[in-house]
Structure formats: C-alpha cells, structure tokens
Amino acid sequence: MLEDKTFCCEGCKTVFQILNEHNMCSYYQFDERAGNTVTSGIARKRFEYLQDIDVEHKLVDFKNGSTTSVTFFIPNIHCTSCVWLLENLGNIDSGILKGTVNFMKRTVTFLYDDASTSLRAIVELLTTIGYEPNLTLDQLDKKESGTIDRSLWLKLGVAGFCFGNIMLFSFPEYLKMDQSGSSEMFRYFFGGLNILLSLPVLFYSSIDYLKSAWAALSQRGVNLDVPISIGLLTLFGRSLYEILSGTGAGYFDTFTGFIFFLLIGKVVQQKTFARLSFDRDYKSYLPISVIKLIGTSEESIPVDKLEIGDRVLLRNQELIPADAVLDSEQAAIDYSFITGETEPVSVVKGTKVFAGGKIIGCNAEFLIAKKVEHSYLTQLWENEAFTKRAEEKIITSFADRISPHFTLTVLAIAIVSLLVWLQIDASKAFTIFTAVLIVACPCALALSTPFTLGAAVNILSLNGLYVRSSNVLEALSRATTFVFDKTGTITESEKSEVRFIGTDLSEDEKIFVKSTVKQSIHPLSKIITKSLTQETKLPNFVEEIPGKGLKAHFGKVVVLIGSKSFLAEHSSSSISGFVNTNSAGSLVHVMISDSYKGAFLLENKLRDGIQDVLATLGRQQDVYLVSGDNEAEGKKLKEAYPFWTEMLFNQSPVQKLEVIDRLHQKKEHVVMIGDGLNDAGALKASDFGIAISDDMSSFSPACDAIAESASLKNLATLVDFSRSAFRIIVASFGISLMYNLTGLGFAITGNLSPLVAAIIMPLSSVSVMAFTNIATRIKANQMKLKIWA
C-alpha cells in the first residue's frame, strides 16, 4: 500500500501513485497528436507557448530527425529517489528515450522522440508529478550553465544576516553583564529576537543538509550530512529550551554561524565546479583550435574566436565545435556522443549539423551558424560516452567514507557521558549529552575537502593538466602503475624527420598520398601531410582503421597507407619486398592501385624532459610502454630509460585494453598516458586516463584529464602534488578533530559556555578554510609549480 511507504518529497509520492495506477485518466488527458498523456485545464494553457517552433528551437540542445535533446533545471531534485524517478519517466511517457540527471547542478537531460511526444507534454508531465522545470525568459535568449543557483546566494545571505545580528544580541552574555532588574527583561527580549532570527536559518538556509541526511538515512546509509544535521537540530533544540525555560542564553549565534560557514564552503565548491564547467572544454581542455578557410589559405584559430559565417575545414574524427551548415557536397556525421547511436548520419550540402558531431571519412567544409555554446559542449563532456563505466562514476568522498565511523563515535561519547553524569549529577546529564552533540558537529570536516580539491584542481590547470572533475583526483593520487603510449606521447611527433624509402613517387602519386593522410588526425598522418608540399584533392571514399591504416579511392585509383598487415589484408594481390630498416623510427607503408611503392620512415625525437619523468616515476611505481608501432625504436627507448617494467610493441587498440585489464587483475591502480586517438579504450579502462594533446584540435572523450604536451615533463611533480593534496585533506581533518576534542573536553566536564561555543565553532571553520588554501599553494610553490594565473 502507498500509505505504508515513506517518500522524500511529494513528487516521489505522486509518481509512485501514477506508476501504480492502471487508469491514468484521473491525472491526465490524452493528447492525440503526440500519443501521450498530459495535464488538463489551466495547467495545459500555462505551457501552450512551448508549441511555438521558435521557442522550442531556443530551448532544445540538439535535434536530428525526430530525436531531440533538451535540458531542464529542476530545483525540486532532492535525493536518489528523485534521480531514479526522473531517469525512468519513459515508463510513463514512451516517447522519452532516456533521462540523465546531474544531481549537483539539479538538471535533467531528456532524449526524446518528438514523433511520439512533445516538449510541452514533457514539461506538463514534470509539472504534474511535482518537478516543474525552471523556465525563464533569459533561457530563450541564452541558455546558461555553470552559474551558482540564486537560491544558494539567498540562503547564504539569510544565514549571514541572522548570524551577525544574533552575535550583536549575544554580547551581554559574552561579557557577563548584570542580568538583574531591567537587564533581565532585555535578556528575554533579545532571546526572543534570537529565536525569531534562527527560524529562517533552520527552515530555509539549512534545509538542504537536513533533506540530504534524511535521504541518506532512508536509504540506510550515513553521509557527512547526518552528523551535521544531528548537531544542528540538537543545537537549535537546546538553545530553544534554555531561552524559553530561562535557564540560559542558548547557542543561536553558534547555530547560525555554523550554517553560514557551511554555505560558504558550498558556494566555493560550486564556484569551482562552475569554473571547470566553462574552462574545461574551451580554455583548458582543448583550447580547441580549428582550421579556418580564408580564401585559398588555411589558418588555425581557437574555437572561441569563431564568428557566424566563418568557413572551417574539419578532418576525419574531428568534432564539430559549433552548430554549422555543411558547405561540402556531402559528409558523414557520427552523433554517438549525443544520442548513443553509433551509425553515422549522411548529410548533404546545406544541412544544419550540431556541435559534438564527429566527422567520419572525408574532410568537409562548414559555415558556422552559431557562436560556440559553452553550456552545450560542457553537457557533452558530462555525457556517459565521455565518462567511466557506470559503477565508477560515483566516487565516494573521503569525508563520506569516514562519516559512519565519526557519527557512531560521537553518539557513543554522548551516550557514555550521559550515563556517567546520571551517576554524578542527574540535573546536568541531559545538558552535557546535548553539549557533546553540539561541539562534535563536523563543520570544519565538511569544509576541508571542497576547499582543498578546489585549490588543487585550479593549480593543476595552471600547470597544463586539466582534470575532468575533482572527484577523480583521488584515482591519480593512488596510482601504482603508469602505462605510456609511444607515438605522440613519449616521442615528439612534430619534430620527426621524414624520409621515403622505395620507388620514387610521381607528382600525382604524392597528391594521392597527401590527400589520403590529410583525412586522418593520427600523429604519423599529420607528419607525412606536413612533409609533402603538393596540392590535395577530395577522395571519393576514405576509411580509417584506428591503429592500422587508411584506405582511399580516387576514381579507379585505390590508395592504401599503413602497416604491413593492413596492406596485406586490404590488397587484392600478394605483396613482397616490404621495406625493412634498422633505423629507429616508424614505417608507414604505401600501396597505390595494388602496386607497393615503399614506406615513409619517421624518426621520432623524444620529448624534452621525458627521461627525468620516467626515472622519477619508476622509483616507486611500475612503468610500462605499450605501443602500436614496431620495435625499431626499442633500443633508443631502452637507452632513454633502461628500467621499463615491460615494453610491448605492435599492440592494437584491443591489445592495449587487454594490458590494462591484466594489470587490474593484479590489483594495480593504473594511469594510462596516450595521445587520445588509438588509446581511447585503454584510457577509458584505466583508473586515470591522461590524453596528451599537441594542437588541441582533436577531442578525446574517454579520459579523465587532458595535458598540454609541454606539461608532460612535469607529470611526476603533478602526480606528487595530487598526493600532497590528499595529505592536506587528512591534515585538515586532524585540525578539525583537534577543535572537536577541545570542545568535547569542555562539554564532557560540563563547562561549555555560550562564549566557548561561539569561539570554537567559527574558529575551526575559518582555520580549516585558511589552512587548506594556504597549505595547498605553499606545497605547490615548494614543488615549483605555477600557483597564480
């Protein structure tokens, strides 16, 4: 029975009622156009404007055929039950294909079939079940993301206002002023004001912590908000009792100050998250550059410099950086990052394409139709195609892991104190019991993690390592094994020397070769393209097998470029006389119309500082080399670093993935460093994947961080810094516990005065905030890392 169930909010209860009703007509009317259920009467008229095509165009994120994506901000998302309900709305509306909730941002993204449902129907459904989206006029002009919720500022303002005034009203208590006669009257008067000022703090400013604690307990779990809520309610209850009974002045100054500092920590955490949501796709992760066509010349420019009407050239496997219109005759677009559908979509000249689509096959030219939307590409980064396996997405924070132990310890101390004082002085027993719960409230504990990780992520980004989320930093700090790709990672592709060994290529053959390799963004293809000076032509067909080679058709001419095995597999005739060399370099073989021509020899240069990085990492961790190239450069790499745990060559992308899985079976914590192209599977499978990027024009979704190639020489230092950040968190926990223990000493002995509580609680919060920020920057400075922009 529904009456026997406990619901976190009215929305959850309503949806459960709907799901349990066979006849849903009591809640909805049937929309014949959409084949869907919608609300009736006044509620229906409220959202009639959503049928306007222009309004829908401005609200939706993406549209391909009938498949549409839209994101709503829903303030009423409170707990895991809300998340589950919103992500399973397809059980009510079959037109909703998928729902994805971002709990921290309180947003939900729906992928739906507009032939089966409509934007209006979805909004009406959400409103009916208690999750009305926050639709405002500014969304129609500009969809914004990464900003702090206005309600959080209001909660902080209310808490700060009440905290300051209650402190003023409490000064007579601090100074032990005469409380006889008229002073006694003022004492009750100010006490009443303190109660009135504390009510909005309890029921408005602190409500998120109370709801979070209730949600955790209802799921039979304990998070950090549980001991916080216990402390808050105890603090409020005891203060209310003391003032109403005339036995004391209460601790409303401590109560409001506690919440005020907690909200400051939340603001800092959200500001850090908001900054990352903006920076990581543009200024940090990519600073994406694209090839802009100016007449007959090409110019590489940052994406944020793109203007409407600019013509850009995109190559095979590159992402479309902004909404655009195809200017070539045809192209194939892979929208799998957005829809999850891996089948490429064929588009013709004049078709609008969307940011996040990936070019498959031939180069294509586009006219930019819309300036780059920061919020949308940030959503792409949050899409599940860009993240780890589902079970790895939620990383329990260190604070939440210790919360059950902390809560049980505090309760045990409080109960023991109660039992002891019942034997000593029963009149003080309950007072001391509540005092223990008050001073043990982990305010500083809750602030240490967001402040430390926020500062650490900022410092890492200043030094060229752009981390996807502060949550994944712990995986980097726990690394026991490092796996390196070779080409484009250990070696510096841009400075390679290129020689062709074999039959001299004619001018036309060079055009065919350059036109083929130009379709690829593999490091070796880029080098060969740069080494050839001929003009190019557009292939009729091109196919790239990652890690193996390229196949292109120019009329009747078939060009194969890649490894020996690739040529042998795709050639219609047998091949003999493959080029072999003892030189330390990579060979890229060429066949044109079933005639083997020879091979390009690319002799790579090791990146500056890579020997020191390998030596430093190798002192305490295992270091592997896993390369798709042959063993020609094995000797050079062995000379550069003779202590490789293992060197593996001729590894396909699948074999690289198998190496990572094999290390996981040995209980190793693996960091994979690759160029983000052929290493996508290994980067995704590793505990922490780092994609090294030279020109930032390619995008690698399956990684935890993107590193500028120049920052690779500091990799060992950055790993040590991430470990130091977690040591700072542990130290800040120690400081917090020191304050808790000091307060417990006063509480257990029955000496906790309002003045002591008013000093200890804010001082612990301020101390932890200052310590984590200063300590993080001092440590970074000691490691000679950049600490200011």
Side-chain angles (χ1 to χ4, degrees):
M1 296 292 293
L2 288 173
E3 290 76 11
D4 299 329
K5 292 183 177 292
T6 300
F7 301 96
C8 72
C9 57
E10 286 302 311
C12 291
K13 184 175 181 180
T14 305
V15 175
F16 270 103
Q17 288 173 334
I18 294 171
L19 290 174
N20 280 275
E21 289 284 345
H22 293 290
N23 180 12
M24 302 201 303
C25 295
S26 59
Y27 291 90
Y28 304 108
Q29 286 186 348
F30 194 78
D31 181 348
E32 294 180 356
R33 180 191 67 79
N36 211 353
T37 52
V38 296
T39 56
S40 59
I42 296 174
R44 292 195 64 187
K45 293 182 180 179
R46 280 186 60 199
F47 299 111
E48 282 183 348
Y49 69 93
L50 293 176
Q51 291 179 301
D52 186 279
I53 298 299
D54 291 334
V55 171
E56 181 179 356
H57 175 72
K58 292 176 180 179
L59 285 176
V60 302
D61 300 320
F62 165 82
K63 189 179 181 71
N64 179 40
S66 63
T67 302
T68 307
S69 174
V70 65
T71 298
F72 297 119
F73 172 66
I74 300 180
N76 290 339
I77 300 176
H78 298 303
C79 66
T80 53
S81 298
C82 299
V83 173
W84 182 88
L85 291 169
L86 290 171
E87 291 188 346
N88 288 275
L89 280 188
N91 295 333
I92 300 176
D93 185 341
S94 60
I96 298 176
L97 307 177
K98 183 179 180 182
T100 304
V101 173
N102 186 317
F103 185 78
M104 181 175 286
K105 290 185 177 181
R106 300 293 194 270
T107 61
V108 58
T109 299
F110 289 113
L111 192 68
Y112 67 93
D113 183 356
D114 65 8
S116 302
T117 189
S118 65
L119 180 64
R120 176 185 171 185
I122 294 173
V123 172
E124 288 174 337
L125 172 58
L126 289 169
T127 302
T128 299
I129 65 176
Y131 294 97
E132 181 175 349
N134 184 15
L135 299 174
T136 57
L137 289 176
D138 62 343
Q139 287 179 279
L140 301 182
D141 298 324
K142 180 181 180 182
K143 298 187 72 177
E144 296 185 359
S145 177
T147 57
I148 296 178
D149 183 8
R150 181 171 177 267
S151 66
L152 180 56
W153 286 115
L154 290 175
K155 290 173 183 175
L156 179 63
V158 168
F161 172 80
C162 297
F163 173 43
N165 282 281
I166 290 175
M167 286 281 286
L168 288 176
F169 296 154
S170 301
F171 261 94
E173 294 295 332
Y174 300 156
L175 302 178
K176 298 293 183 183
M177 295 174 64
D178 179 28
Q179 297 179 356
S180 63
S182 61
S183 297
E184 185 72 11
M185 180 184 68
F186 280 111
R187 177 186 179 194
Y188 284 111
F189 175 70
F190 287 133
L193 289 178
N194 286 347
I195 292 174
L196 291 176
L197 286 170
S198 65
L199 289 175
V201 177
L202 175 67
F203 293 110
Y204 179 63
S205 296
S206 68
I207 194 68
D208 290 337
Y209 295 100
L210 299 177
K211 286 181 177 178
S212 174
W214 176 251
L217 292 173
S218 66
Q219 298 291 327
R220 298 182 179 180
V222 176
N223 59 14
L224 192 60
D225 290 335
V226 172
I228 287 176
S229 297
I230 291 173
L232 286 177
L233 295 175
T234 305
L235 195 55
F236 181 86
R238 175 169 168 176
S239 301
L240 187 65
Y241 169 78
E242 287 191 2
I243 291 177
L244 294 179
S245 65
T247 57
Y251 304 90
F252 283 125
D253 50 350
T254 304
F255 170 75
T256 52
F258 180 19
I259 296 172
F260 177 65
F261 286 112
L262 280 176
L263 291 174
I264 288 177
K266 182 175 283 190
V267 167
V268 170
Q269 187 176 27
Q270 287 201 12
K271 282 184 74 69
T272 300
F273 186 85
R275 181 190 61 78
L276 288 175
S277 296
F278 176 87
D279 286 351
R280 63 178 176 217
D281 286 317
Y282 295 90
K283 296 180 179 178
S284 298
Y285 281 116
L286 297 178
I288 312 177
S289 64
V290 294
I291 297 175
K292 178 180 176 181
L293 300 176
I294 306 174
T296 58
S297 62
E298 298 179 356
E299 178 184 354
S300 180
I301 65 168
V303 159
D304 56 9
K305 300 295 184 184
L306 282 175
E307 299 290 341
I308 296 174
D310 285 350
R311 178 178 276 102
V312 297
L313 174 68
L314 298 178
R315 296 167 293 180
N316 183 36
Q317 299 296 313
E318 287 186 339
L319 281 187
I320 301 169
D323 292 354
V325 175
L326 179 63
D327 198 42
S328 298
E329 292 302 319
Q330 61 181 13
I333 312 293
D334 177 4
Y335 282 125
S336 60
F337 289 165
I338 306 170
T339 66
E341 176 58 55
T342 57
E343 188 67 27
V345 176
S346 296
V347 294
V348 296
K349 188 172 184 177
T351 303
K352 184 177 180 180
V353 295
F354 293 89
K358 185 168 62 175
I359 305 300
I360 302 295
C362 299
N363 294 354
E365 296 180 9
F366 297 87
L367 292 174
I368 300 300
K370 192 175 183 181
K371 293 198 71 172
V372 177
E373 296 269 347
H374 296 149
S375 60
Y376 186 52
L377 284 187
T378 300
Q379 290 175 29
L380 292 182
W381 182 265
E382 301 296 344
N383 189 281
E384 67 179 356
F386 287 65
T387 56
K388 294 287 189 182
R389 299 183 179 99
E391 64 269 19
E392 297 172 338
K393 289 179 185 176
I394 301 175
I395 301 176
T396 305
S397 70
F398 181 38
D400 282 341
R401 288 202 300 272
I402 70 168
S403 292
H405 309 291
F406 182 89
T407 304
L408 292 175
T409 301
V410 169
L411 291 175
I413 294 174
I415 293 171
V416 169
S417 300
L418 175 65
L419 295 175
V420 171
W421 275 94
L422 282 174
Q423 304 298 320
I424 300 173
D425 187 347
S427 62
K428 292 184 178 181
F430 181 73
T431 300
I432 290 171
F433 174 75
T434 56
V436 170
L437 296 178
I438 288 170
V439 298
C441 196
C443 178
L445 206 64
L447 295 174
S448 59
T449 300
F451 273 84
T452 305
L453 292 184
V457 168
N458 178 259
I459 290 170
L460 289 173
S461 66
L462 289 173
N463 290 275
L465 182 65
Y466 306 103
V467 182
R468 177 172 60 84
S469 164
S470 60
N471 284 345
V472 301
L473 265 185
E474 187 172 356
L476 179 61
S477 69
R478 296 170 60 194
T480 59
T481 299
F482 287 81
V483 179
F484 286 86
D485 177 45
K486 181 179 73 71
T487 305
T489 304
I490 289 180
T491 58
E492 196 166 6
S493 303
E494 295 298 321
K495 297 183 180 179
S496 297
E497 180 183 343
V498 182
R499 290 186 291 130
F500 186 76
I501 304 173
T503 306
D504 289 340
L505 297 175
S506 67
E507 197 68 17
D508 286 342
E509 289 172 336
K510 289 180 181 179
I511 291 174
F512 291 144
V513 170
K514 183 175 181 180
S515 300
T516 300
V517 293
K518 192 176 181 181
Q519 308 302 318
S520 171
I521 56 174
H522 189 283
L524 298 182
S525 296
K526 291 180 181 179
I527 297 167
I528 296 173
T529 301
K530 191 175 180 179
S531 69
L532 297 172
T533 59
Q534 285 70 25
E535 295 294 324
T536 60
K537 58 172 63 177
L538 194 64
N540 303 113
F541 166 84
V542 65
E543 178 185 16
E544 180 174 11
I545 307 299
K548 294 185 177 181
L550 287 155
K551 180 178 183 180
H553 292 183
F554 299 86
K556 295 182 179 180
V557 177
V558 179
V559 179
L560 297 175
I561 300 176
S563 64
K564 291 180 184 179
S565 59
F566 177 78
L567 267 62
E569 182 180 347
H570 289 80
S571 173
S572 58
S573 61
S574 60
I575 307 172
S576 60
F578 275 115
V579 169
N580 288 298
T581 176
N582 293 323
S583 300
S586 300
L587 286 172
V588 179
H589 300 271
V590 177
M591 174 176 280
I592 301 176
S593 296
D594 284 338
S595 174
Y596 180 72
K597 299 296 181 180
F600 287 95
L601 174 63
L602 294 83
E603 296 181 298
N604 297 320
K605 179 181 178 295
L606 294 178
R607 287 193 184 275
D608 293 336
I610 191 64
Q611 292 162 288
D612 293 334
V613 170
L614 295 172
T616 303
L617 292 175
R619 290 187 192 124
Q620 296 182 335
Q621 293 95 191
D622 292 334
V623 181
Y624 287 75
L625 176 72
V626 181
S627 174
D629 291 338
N630 56 48
E631 298 183 39
E633 291 187 332
K635 183 178 180 182
K636 180 198 290 188
L637 294 171
K638 193 74 173 177
E639 291 173 353
Y641 179 65
F643 305 110
W644 293 100
T645 304
E646 190 173 3
M647 299 175 72
L648 301 171
F649 296 94
N650 299 309
Q651 298 292 298
S652 67
V654 173
Q655 289 173 318
K656 291 182 180 182
L657 178 58
E658 291 172 350
V659 171
I660 302 298
D661 289 340
R662 175 162 53 87
L663 291 171
H664 279 154
Q665 291 172 8
K666 297 180 180 179
K667 308 300 181 184
E668 300 286 350
H669 293 279
V670 183
V671 173
M672 173 71 192
I673 304 100
D675 62 16
L677 191 65
N678 302 322
D679 308 308
L683 287 168
K684 184 174 183 178
S686 64
D687 296 286
F688 193 89
I690 302 176
I692 303 298
S693 191
D694 282 303
D695 63 10
M696 300 299 189
S697 63
S698 57
F699 192 87
S700 178
C703 60
D704 297 295
I706 292 180
E708 295 174 355
S709 56
S711 70
L712 187 59
K713 61 185 178 183
N714 295 322
L715 179 61
T717 304
L718 297 176
V719 172
D720 284 341
F721 174 72
S722 70
R723 289 172 176 156
S724 298
F726 276 88
R727 287 195 289 269
I728 290 171
I729 291 176
V730 173
S732 67
F733 279 17
I735 294 174
S736 173
L737 291 174
M738 180 186 71
Y739 279 107
N740 288 133
L741 291 173
T742 302
L744 283 173
F746 284 98
I748 293 172
T749 57
N751 295 313
L752 182 67
S753 67
L755 180 60
V756 172
I759 292 174
I760 288 180
M761 300 296 280
L763 186 61
S764 66
S765 301
V766 173
S767 298
V768 166
M769 287 189 290
F771 170 76
T772 54
N773 199 295
I774 294 172
T776 303
R777 297 191 182 279
I778 288 177
K779 189 63 180 178
N781 189 57
Q782 289 175 346
M783 293 181 169
K784 298 181 179 180
L785 295 174
K786 188 178 179 181
I787 59 174
W788 304 110

